Amino acid sequence: MKERVIMLVDGLSFYASIEKAAHPEYRDKPVAVGDPARKSGIILAACPAAKSQGVTTAERVGEALAKCPELVVIRPRMQTYISVSLFMTEIYESFTDQVEPYSVDEQFLDVTGSLSLFGGSADEIARQIQARVQLSTGIWTRVGIGPTKILAKMATDNFAKKVPGGVYTLSKDNIESDLWPLPIHQMFMVASRMTRHFAHMGLLTIGDIARLDLGEFKRRMRYEMGKQSDIQAEYYWQTANGIDPSPVIAGMRKQIKVINNGRALRWGKYRTMEDIEPLMLELVIEVCRRARRYGYMGRVISVAAAETDGYRSSSFGRQVTLFRPTYLEHEVGAAAYSLFAKYWRRMPITHLHITLTGLSADDVYQLDLFEDREKLILRSKTIDQIKDRFGPASIVRASSLMETGQAYERAAQIGGHWA
C-alpha cells in the first residue's frame, strides 16, 4: 500500500499577520492583537517582532506594553480572520480535495494523489502552497509533512516553525534521530500534568516512551495513574511512534462532547450575587442555545469560577448530575445558580464558566406530568430562530439591561471579540 503524504499547514502568528497585511504602516513595528482599551485583557496573537521583545500569547495587554512600550495593540476582528481562514481553505483545495480544518489557522491536507500533478514531491507542493498563500493574504505559512496526521502535526510544531524555509518532514527514516530526543512535553497532547507523571516514571524524552514495549508502558502507567489508564497508555505510545491511522476527512467536524461558555471579567466589577446573576443567566442562555442548535441535551451541569479580593485568591469547579437531560434555561440555570452559591467564597470573581456535558440527542426526551416541556422547548426554539434572523440582541432578558449584563456588547462580537 502506498504511504500517505499528509501536511499540516499553519499560519504564522495568524491574527497578527492578517493585521500587519492590512496595515502596511506597521510593517516594521511590533504588533499584537488584543483590546487596547483593556490593559487587563489578554494578547491573542503577537507578530515575530513583538515575540522577540518578550511579548507572549495569553499574557495581559498591560504586561506586554510594559515589556515593549512601542507595541501596537490592534483590536481583534474575528469575522475577518474566519473569512481569511476560509479563503486559505480554498487555496489548499486547489491542490487536493482532502482538506480538514484543525483550527482557524491550521489545516490538514492529504496530497498523496497530488504529487504527480505538482512537481512530484511533497516539498515542492509545500513551497507552492506557501507562495500562493503569502501572495494572496500576506501570511507566511509553515508546513509539517509526514505519513500520518500526528507526525505532520509534530513536524509543524517542533521543526517547521524553527527552520528558515518553514517546511519539515518527519518520517520513519528520521523519527528516531529527530523526534525521539525531544523532551516529553514537546510530544503532542502532553501538557504539564502528564509531563509530571512521565517524569515520575523516569520517562523524560519522547524516545523513552517510543522504545518501551507497549505492555511494559501500560504496566508503568497503571502503577502511576491507576487501572483505567490503558487507553491513555496506548494513545501516548502510538503518538511517540508516529502511529495514527485516522484519515484526512474534508470538512470533518468532531462529535460534540462538551457545550460551554465563559467569561474573563474585569476585576472588582462582579462583587455581589446581584452583580453576578445577570452574567450567569446570559452564559446559561448561550449554552442552552448552542445545545439546541447542535441537537443535544445534557445531564451534567458544571460551574467553574475564579475569585480574588486583591490579597487572597481562590477558584473552584463543581458539577451536578440532573435526573434527566435538558437544554431549557430555567433547569440549567437553577442548577448552575445552586452550585455557584454553595461554593463561592464571596470575593469578586474574575472568571465564570458554565458547561453542559453528558450529552444525548434531543430527538427523544422525557415528558413531565406537571410541566409542558414540549411547549417550553418549542418556545425556546422560536426565540432561537428570531435571534438567528435578527441578531442575538433582538430578544434579551430584562436582567441584561443591568450594569453587569453583557448581552448587548457581546451581540456585536464573534467568540468574545470584535468582528
Side-chain angles (χ1 to χ4, degrees), residues 39-203:
K39 297 299 185 290
S40 61
I42 64 170
I43 297 294
L44 299 177
C47 74
K51 290 178 180 178
S52 69
Q53 298 194 43
V55 178
T56 60
T57 301
E59 75 175 333
R60 301 290 181 184
V61 171
E63 294 170 354
L65 287 169
K67 294 177 183 176
C68 180
E70 67 274 27
L71 182 68
V72 178
V73 182
I74 300 176
R75 194 169 73 172
R77 300 179 296 148
M78 298 309 295
Q79 185 57 60
T80 299
Y81 308 150
I82 293 169
S83 298
V84 172
S85 178
L86 293 172
F87 178 64
M88 290 169 68
T89 302
E90 293 180 9
I91 294 175
Y92 304 149
E93 287 173 343
S94 69
F95 291 89
T96 174
D97 60 353
Q98 298 178 63
V99 178
E100 179 184 325
Y102 181 70
S103 66
V104 70
D105 60 342
E106 294 179 301
Q107 305 194 40
F108 285 108
L109 288 68
D110 188 331
V111 298
T112 310
S114 305
L115 295 178
S116 60
L117 298 174
F118 297 97
S121 75
D123 278 9
E124 178 59 29
I125 293 178
R127 285 191 288 270
Q128 289 184 42
I129 287 173
Q130 287 178 317
R132 193 173 300 182
V133 171
Q134 188 165 34
L135 182 63
S136 303
T137 67
I139 297 170
W140 174 245
T141 53
R142 286 79 57 91
V143 185
I145 305 170
T148 65
K149 289 164 71 174
I150 202 71
L151 281 179
K153 172 65 175 168
M154 290 194 288
T156 301
D157 291 346
N158 295 310
F159 301 103
K161 292 182 178 182
K162 299 173 184 177
V163 298
V167 178
Y168 200 89
T169 300
L170 272 179
S171 68
K172 60 184 180 182
D173 297 327
N174 66 350
I175 183 175
E176 184 172 355
S177 61
D178 293 5
L179 183 67
W180 288 4
L182 296 181
I184 196 68
H185 70 267
Q186 290 183 236
M187 188 167 81
F188 181 60
M189 293 300 287
V190 175
S192 57
R193 177 174 166 271
M194 282 309 304
T195 299
R196 289 193 295 270
H197 283 302
F198 289 142
H200 291 161
M201 292 184 271
L203 304 173

Side-chain angles (χ1 to χ4, degrees), residues 201-247:
M201 292 184 271
L203 304 173
L204 304 179
T205 68
I206 297 175
D208 289 340
I209 292 178
R211 292 186 182 95
L212 280 176
D213 175 76
L214 178 56
E216 170 63 15
F217 183 47
K218 286 183 176 180
R219 186 191 67 77
R220 295 194 189 188
M221 285 283 284
R222 290 189 203 115
Y223 183 81
E224 174 72 19
M225 301 183 65
K227 297 179 180 179
Q228 311 303 318
S229 62
D230 277 7
I231 294 176
Q232 276 183 293
E234 188 148 350
Y235 170 79
Y236 286 120
W237 185 85
Q238 289 187 355
T239 299
N241 282 283
I243 299 170
D244 178 13
S246 62

